[in-house]
Amino acid sequence: FCCRHEELQVVILMKVRKTLPCIQGVHSWTAKTTTVLILVLLLLLNACEAYPPELVTISHRLVVHQQAAEQAALETLSVFAIVRDKDGQEDVEAMYIVNDEQELFWKLDASNWTYKEEDGELWLGSNGLSASSWDQQRLPRGLYRLLLVDQAGQRSERSFMLSAPDFTEYTFPSIMISTSGTIELNSSYTVNTLFFFDAGQNVVKTSTLSNNSANLDSLWGDGQWRSRARYVAVYSLDIKSETGFFSWKTALP
């Protein structure tokens, strides 16, 4: 009977109130056993009560990836939410991001979502939601829904607005790397980060680019980038439009 039975709990409490005065002062095993069973039943009902997951806040951003040395680009959506569940983090089963107007949706679960814990809070989401599966390079602007579902089928929902400009053309940052490991940055944005990738295109390190010229040894912290990284790319943030721009990956010398 492991489910939410508020009416049954009320009935049991009424029975307890009627029974307790009758068994006060009675020391028979029957009276004691009855009382214990009633209390255990109430505890089981409360323990089996399932709680819906909670969406505390949503963070989202449009990220544009340069697809070649030219200006070809792919737009992706980065969406993360702080998630809480009184039944435990493992109770969260799936997250859906939906654009009803264009009939687009993405499903995230333990097999493909990214999760991280910061300051005691659990963030779930993805950095790479694109519309390429629907043969679209650009993401629709407008209203999106984020739907969180737990293993009991209970859900929470919140909406967010993707209001980034519908760019007619993109301005990407670029880098040049010398054989000695000096990097020259060309960017019109004030916030720039260098991403190091391994041979499998996995991010292995990031470093803030405070100047237009820097040495890879200092950005990595030592010279191990020569053995641990194969490519680099610049991620720049346009603060005004809240849009991120990833440059084309450049092979390291």
Side-chain angles (χ1 to χ4, degrees):
F1 62 94
C2 188
C3 58
R4 304 181 74 171
H5 284 297
E6 289 84 356
E7 295 87 354
L8 183 56
Q9 293 186 36
V10 171
V11 171
I12 293 173
L13 285 172
M14 291 173 63
K15 294 292 185 182
V16 170
R17 290 172 180 173
K18 290 182 179 179
T19 304
L20 287 176
C22 299
I23 64 175
Q24 283 181 350
V26 179
H27 300 287
S28 68
W29 284 105
T30 301
K32 291 180 179 179
T33 302
T34 301
T35 304
V36 170
L37 287 174
I38 291 172
L39 294 175
V40 169
L41 184 59
L42 284 170
L43 287 173
L44 286 173
L45 284 171
N46 288 329
C48 290
E49 184 174 4
Y51 296 92
E54 181 183 359
L55 283 168
V56 181
T57 188
I58 298 174
S59 174
H60 69 280
R61 177 173 294 163
L62 180 71
V63 180
V64 188
H65 299 257
Q66 190 174 14
Q67 294 296 284
E70 308 87 45
Q71 292 299 98
L74 174 67
E75 293 186 350
T76 63
L77 182 62
S78 173
V79 180
F80 283 87
I82 292 181
V83 173
R84 295 175 186 165
D85 195 319
K86 292 183 179 180
D87 297 320
Q89 297 177 359
E90 64 281 356
D91 187 51
V92 179
E93 186 171 67
M95 176 185 289
Y96 295 87
I97 296 91
V98 183
N99 182 287
D100 294 292
E101 184 177 352
Q102 297 296 323
E103 298 182 349
L104 301 179
F105 79 93
W106 299 265
K107 178 184 177 182
L108 302 176
D109 55 29
S111 67
N112 61 354
W113 63 29
T114 299
Y115 71 91
K116 53 186 177 181
E117 292 190 16
E118 291 183 2
D119 300 324
E121 298 286 8
L122 174 65
W123 288 85
L124 289 180
S126 174
N127 279 317
L129 304 178
S130 76
S132 58
S133 299
W134 293 272
D135 296 324
Q136 298 182 34
Q137 294 297 101
R138 293 175 178 260
L139 286 166
R141 307 317 193 245
L143 188 65
Y144 286 76
R145 292 186 295 121
L146 193 152
L147 184 65
L148 194 65
V149 183
D150 68 11
Q151 295 181 5
Q154 298 188 93
R155 57 188 61 194
S156 294
E157 181 179 320
R158 292 186 68 171
S159 299
F160 63 92
M161 184 71 68
L162 182 61
S163 54
D166 197 357
F167 298 93
T168 55
E169 63 179 27
Y170 307 101
T171 302
F172 290 101
S174 63
I175 51 175
M176 293 184 63
I177 306 174
S178 69
T179 55
S180 62
T182 299
I183 183 171
E184 297 292 336
L185 170 68
N186 180 19
S187 173
S188 58
Y189 308 104
T190 57
V191 180
N192 301 282
T193 304
L194 188 68
F195 278 66
F196 292 85
F197 300 86
D198 62 16
Q201 307 290 323
N202 302 301
V203 177
V204 291
K205 193 178 182 65
T206 63
S207 182
T208 301
L209 291 170
S210 303
N211 302 300
N212 290 336
S213 180
N215 185 272
L216 289 173
D217 285 353
S218 61
L219 292 172
W220 183 279
D222 52 40
Q224 291 191 34
W225 59 269
R226 293 177 174 84
S227 59
R228 296 182 57 188
R230 291 287 298 276
Y231 307 94
V232 290
V234 180
Y235 173 76
S236 300
L237 176 62
D238 182 357
I239 298 176
K240 184 178 180 180
S241 66
E242 271 296 303
T243 302
F245 294 91
F246 256 115
S247 73
W248 178 250
K249 293 184 180 68
T250 301
L252 288 168

